[in-house]
Amino acid sequence: MSDAERPFSSASTGAGDMFQLFLDGQARTKADLVHLTGLARSTVSARVDALLAAGLLMAAGEAASTGGRPPLRVAFNPRAGLVIAVDLGASHATVAIADLGGRILASTTHPLDIASGPEPVLDRMLVEAQGLLEDLSTGRGTIVGVGIGVPGPVEHSTGRPYNPPIMPGWDRFDIPGYVQRTFDVPVLVDNDVNVLALGEQTTSFPDTTDLIFVKVATGIGAGIIAGGQLQRGAQGSAGDMGHVRVPHSAESTHPADEERDLEDLASGSAIAASLRAQGIDAETSRDVTELVRAGNTAAIEALRQAGRDVGEVLATVVNLLNPSIVVLGGSIARAGEHLLAGVREVVYRRSIPLATQHLAIVQSPTGERAAVLGAAIMVAREVLSPVNVERYVSVRSR
């Protein structure tokens, strides 16, 4: 059972559990909380006062009076703390400072080579974060956590990358321990597609409980949200679509007896390789997107075929998980509608009718900012879980 699912405990102050009621953004009076929880007014008052004193709640004006003094409304204070959110890609990094409500206060993006190794990349990230904090005006709160998305498999319980194919030198590197030398706060690390799924679902599809985010870029992966919860699997490898073998079909461009992983067929580097084989100058995912946007016919058809290959794997995923929405993101997906068209063509044809009856397959509305938003949300949910709020209120009341 996760911290967020723990029931009220009569042995504790219960402030952490009560605080969860405010995460929907609504302001409430103490009378509202008495009605919602069934607790005595004196108990509610003590818990609200403790949360106000800890800075997690703030005054939010007065409610309408029913006679006598108008009651005070209180609400979640997103400025109670700050989060450093980081999106590390194969060739770029975005570093942001966010509040506990997931609002980005400052950010910067710069090119990098993830293959240069963990220490140079993380050192640059830490310098960027410190610079952003110095640029923010004072009084904005203190850092309460760091969230990092990386382009490879991560053992979520330790925050260590595990044999990441495009991250040489990062295997089992202790990212949290390294970052905590500079920022002595909780450091959460996850696969970049998982944080993308969190960011997309929270900002663009908050009422959707079953969503799959598919990133098509230098690599290919999926972030799975089922029943409103991010699904990481037993060790953190859930959603690794890129290493699923693609079934052969009439549209396949490779020989029927040649089994190939999805990443070998539809990633940005794979598409570039197929274009080079046709005598077209393309080395990277960026080259592919530039060719597509310039109207190159071969690049457009290669992108459409990549969409069909993604669809071959995704059709099985849709049958198994029955999501409401599939969101396509990543640099290749942003090149135009061609990848999306290829995915739709195959998924709607190969998945069972009940699974696709109300299924929407769309491009990412949030775009590149989804990853840092997701990293910030990942940390905020951990920091603001009932048990951690309870602990924080207890320490502040001493």
Side-chain angles (χ1 to χ4, degrees):
M1 178 181 293
S2 69
D3 292 334
E5 295 169 327
R6 294 183 191 278
F8 270 66
S9 170
S10 59
S12 69
T13 65
D17 296 283
M18 181 172 290
F19 176 76
Q20 305 307 303
L21 297 171
F22 290 94
L23 292 179
D24 63 1
Q26 293 188 35
R28 294 181 170 88
T29 66
K30 291 178 179 179
D32 293 334
L33 295 169
V34 169
H35 175 73
L36 286 169
T37 64
L39 297 171
R41 185 175 182 84
S42 59
T43 302
V44 167
S45 183
R47 294 176 183 176
V48 169
D49 290 346
L51 290 165
L52 283 166
L56 293 170
L57 295 182
M58 61 182 180
E62 296 177 338
S65 174
T66 57
R69 184 177 179 180
L72 178 69
R73 297 189 307 163
V74 293
F76 167 46
N77 176 19
R79 297 294 180 88
L82 298 178
V83 172
I84 297 172
V86 181
D87 167 32
L88 295 179
S91 57
H92 80 280
T94 297
V95 181
I97 308 298
D99 64 22
L100 287 174
R103 189 167 77 92
I104 302 299
L105 305 177
S107 68
T108 182
T109 299
H110 61 268
L112 65 76
D113 180 7
I114 198 73
S116 62
E119 294 184 0
V121 169
L122 294 175
D123 286 344
R124 175 73 183 274
M125 178 206 85
L126 293 168
V127 168
E128 296 281 2
Q130 289 170 319
L132 291 174
L133 287 169
E134 290 171 2
D135 290 341
L136 286 173
S137 60
T138 59
R140 295 255 185 161
T142 57
I143 295 297
V144 297
V146 179
I148 304 173
V150 301
V154 174
E155 186 179 55
H156 185 68
S157 61
T158 65
R160 296 172 183 252
Y162 195 89
N163 195 25
I166 63 170
M167 300 173 66
W170 290 76
D171 186 29
R172 296 175 178 82
F173 184 82
D174 184 11
I175 297 176
Y178 193 84
V179 172
Q180 284 169 337
R181 297 178 188 177
T182 303
F183 294 101
D184 188 18
V185 293
V187 177
L188 303 183
V189 184
D190 208 340
N191 179 271
D192 59 351
V193 187
N194 283 341
V195 297
L196 280 163
L198 274 179
E200 201 71 66
Q201 189 260 351
T202 304
T203 58
S204 300
F205 306 101
D207 298 324
T208 299
T209 59
D210 295 271
L211 173 149
I212 296 173
F213 184 97
V214 179
K215 179 183 178 182
V216 184
T218 304
I220 299 176
I224 302 166
I225 293 177
Q229 300 295 318
L230 179 64
Q231 305 299 317
R232 295 185 173 94
Q235 306 300 329
S237 67
D240 188 1
M241 276 180 54
H243 293 97
V244 175
R245 294 295 174 92
V246 180
H248 195 271
S249 68
E251 296 88 1
S252 297
T253 56
H254 59 284
D257 59 349
E258 181 182 311
E259 293 186 349
R260 301 181 70 177
D261 288 356
L262 180 59
E263 231 168 65
D264 294 333
L265 291 171
S267 65
S269 55
I271 298 171
S274 72
L275 292 174
R276 287 198 304 276
Q278 300 175 57
I280 299 171
D281 185 19
E283 296 292 335
T284 65
S285 296
R286 178 172 292 182
D287 295 335
V288 172
T289 60
E290 289 176 354
L291 286 166
V292 170
R293 288 168 180 162
N296 183 282
T297 303
I300 290 172
E301 178 50 40
L303 194 61
R304 178 75 176 237
Q305 181 56 44
R308 295 188 189 104
D309 291 328
V310 172
E312 291 288 350
V313 174
L314 194 52
T316 300
V317 175
V318 167
N319 283 340
L320 285 171
L321 300 180
N322 189 203
S324 300
I325 296 176
V326 172
V327 183
L328 298 179
S331 59
I332 297 300
R334 291 193 297 270
E337 295 283 330
H338 312 289
L339 185 90
L340 180 66
V343 170
R344 286 173 171 168
E345 176 186 332
V346 174
V347 170
Y348 287 128
R349 185 173 75 243
R350 296 207 184 280
S351 300
I352 62 174
L354 183 60
T356 57
Q357 183 179 11
H358 301 294
L359 174 68
I361 305 175
V362 301
Q363 280 188 310
S364 165
T366 308
E368 297 179 12
R369 290 173 68 84
V372 288
L373 286 168
I377 291 161
M378 174 174 66
V379 173
R381 288 183 178 178
E382 173 67 17
V383 170
L384 299 176
S385 67
V387 68
N388 286 328
V389 168
E390 197 74 52
R391 186 180 296 119
Y392 182 71
V393 169
S394 176
V395 170
R396 291 295 297 268
S397 65
R398 290 175 185 169

